[in-house]
């Protein structure tokens, strides 16, 4: 029996992990952004004048019938959510990437926040019209749904709180918004033909955002208009480009 088999202290094959940390680790990496590949969501809310705002985002996740959303705290969407407590989460499929991208670098805020002006954003009042989406009446909330999106989730705000306040790399104020889904609309062509309450994953190709590029589960559609803003802008530093690769 070996020392490792007997569990002798210091004999573990992992005992040198601490010593390895003293050497350069090629896996260490500080990405400018953390867009690892999440669904694009078009959030529709109601403006103070009764018109609709439509904002693309990709910082959202679901658990049960609840969803957590991350936003720039200065956005018109957050302002509307605080005031009305309602929204619709419209989920586009990959074929809608060109329409979604018409909303890249647009804002409903007027005046425009300084950081968005620096990124080349444009103030747009009619987001539905700009992107070519058709607003349709919701059943449980005031904001309209986007008819072309295969999934539309009517939702109510449960809580809003500050996000990332201890993250020195987060350069803009952010909020986390928790919502509860009230009503689900799903196009028949993505629903299961075997179960009345299921989506068929083989027929549903959600639009994803991965490092400023739109992707589907089956294909890449196009580069996002956000790509015109260097990723390093989000990290608050000058671009770090690889000038020479290390040789082994």
């Amino acid at each position: 029996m070996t020392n490792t088999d007997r569990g002798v202290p210091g004999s573990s094959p992992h005992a040198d992990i601490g010593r390895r940390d003293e050497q350069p680790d090629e896996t260490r990496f500080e990405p400018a952004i953390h867009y690892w590949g999440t669904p694009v969501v078009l959030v529709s809310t109601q403006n103070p004048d009764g018109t609709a705002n439509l904002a693309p985002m990709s910082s959202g996740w679901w658990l049960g019938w609840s969803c957590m959303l991350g936003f720039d705290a200065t956005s018109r969407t957050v302002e509307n959510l605080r005031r009305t407590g309602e929204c619709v989460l419209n989920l586009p499929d990959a074929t809608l990437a060109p329409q979604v991208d018409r909303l890249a670098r647009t804002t409903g805020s007027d005046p425009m926040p300084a950081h968005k002006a620096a990124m080349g954003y444009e103030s747009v009042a009619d987001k539905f019209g700009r992107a070519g989406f058709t607003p349709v009446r919701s059943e449980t909330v005031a904001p309209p749904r986007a008819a072309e999106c295969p999934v539309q989730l009517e939702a109510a705000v449960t809580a809003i709180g500050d996000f990332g306040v201890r993250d020195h790399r987060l350069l803009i104020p952010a909020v986390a918004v928790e919502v509860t889904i009230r009503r689900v609309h799903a196009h028949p062509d993505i629903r299961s033909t075997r179960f009345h309450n299921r989506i068929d994953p083989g027929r549903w190709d959600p639009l994803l955002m991965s490092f400023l590029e739109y992707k589907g589960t089956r294909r890449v559609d196009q580069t996002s208009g956000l790509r015109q803003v260097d990723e390093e802008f989000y990290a608050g530093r000058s671009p770090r480009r690889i000038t020479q690769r290390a040789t082994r």
Side-chain angles (χ1 to χ4, degrees):
M1 182 180 293
T2 66
N3 286 343
T4 299
D5 293 332
R6 296 191 183 97
V8 175
S11 62
S12 167
H14 304 296
D16 63 345
I17 288 179
R19 291 193 295 273
R20 290 175 186 170
D21 286 344
E22 298 174 2
Q23 302 299 320
D25 186 347
E26 293 183 355
T27 68
R28 292 178 183 171
F29 178 60
E30 291 192 15
I33 55 177
H34 285 272
Y35 281 18
W36 297 104
T38 48
V40 172
V41 183
L42 298 178
V43 183
S44 52
T45 55
Q46 188 175 58
N47 294 319
D49 62 1
T51 60
N53 186 58
L54 189 65
M57 56 88 74
S58 59
S59 300
W61 55 272
W62 288 258
L63 193 61
W65 278 57
S66 297
C67 181
M68 187 66 76
L69 307 165
F71 291 103
D72 176 343
T74 68
S75 71
R76 170 57 64 87
T77 296
V78 171
E79 176 187 326
N80 290 344
L81 289 172
R82 290 187 187 279
R83 190 185 69 260
T84 69
E86 296 182 334
C87 65
V88 179
L89 310 180
N90 303 281
L91 307 184
D93 64 17
T95 66
L96 295 173
Q99 285 179 249
V100 171
D101 197 52
R102 295 173 195 167
L103 297 176
R105 295 197 302 163
T106 66
T107 178
S109 298
D110 188 14
M112 183 185 300
H115 66 279
K116 289 188 175 180
M119 297 166 71
Y121 273 62
E122 175 187 359
S123 291
V124 176
D126 182 9
K127 299 278 201 70
F128 273 89
R130 163 64 73 91
F133 287 108
T134 305
V136 294
R137 184 182 298 275
S138 297
E139 297 178 359
T140 67
V141 297
R145 297 177 280 134
E148 291 78 7
C149 290
V151 179
Q152 305 138 22
L153 310 174
E154 300 179 18
V157 174
T158 302
I160 300 179
D162 293 336
F163 181 82
V165 292
R166 295 180 178 85
D167 183 358
H168 68 276
R169 293 181 176 87
L170 188 58
L171 304 181
I172 59 174
V175 296
V177 181
E178 179 185 344
V179 301
T180 300
I181 308 303
R182 286 181 173 176
R183 185 69 47 85
V184 177
H185 304 267
H187 288 189
D189 57 1
I190 68 168
R191 290 158 66 170
S192 171
T193 57
R194 298 179 56 208
F195 302 93
H196 74 279
N197 64 342
R198 297 187 187 182
I199 297 296
D200 184 342
R203 306 169 76 184
W204 168 228
D205 186 20
L207 181 62
L208 308 176
M209 172 65 76
S210 176
F211 294 95
L212 305 185
E213 290 189 357
Y214 297 114
K215 296 182 179 292
T217 56
R218 291 186 285 274
R219 60 186 174 276
V220 176
D221 288 275
Q222 68 178 73
T223 298
S224 166
L226 293 174
R227 176 57 73 187
Q228 297 179 52
V229 179
D230 198 294
E231 287 184 20
E232 305 296 343
F233 187 96
Y234 298 94
R237 63 194 184 202
S238 299
R240 296 180 179 179
R241 304 192 184 280
I242 298 176
T243 57
Q244 183 178 358
R245 294 188 178 275
T247 58
R248 294 179 181 271

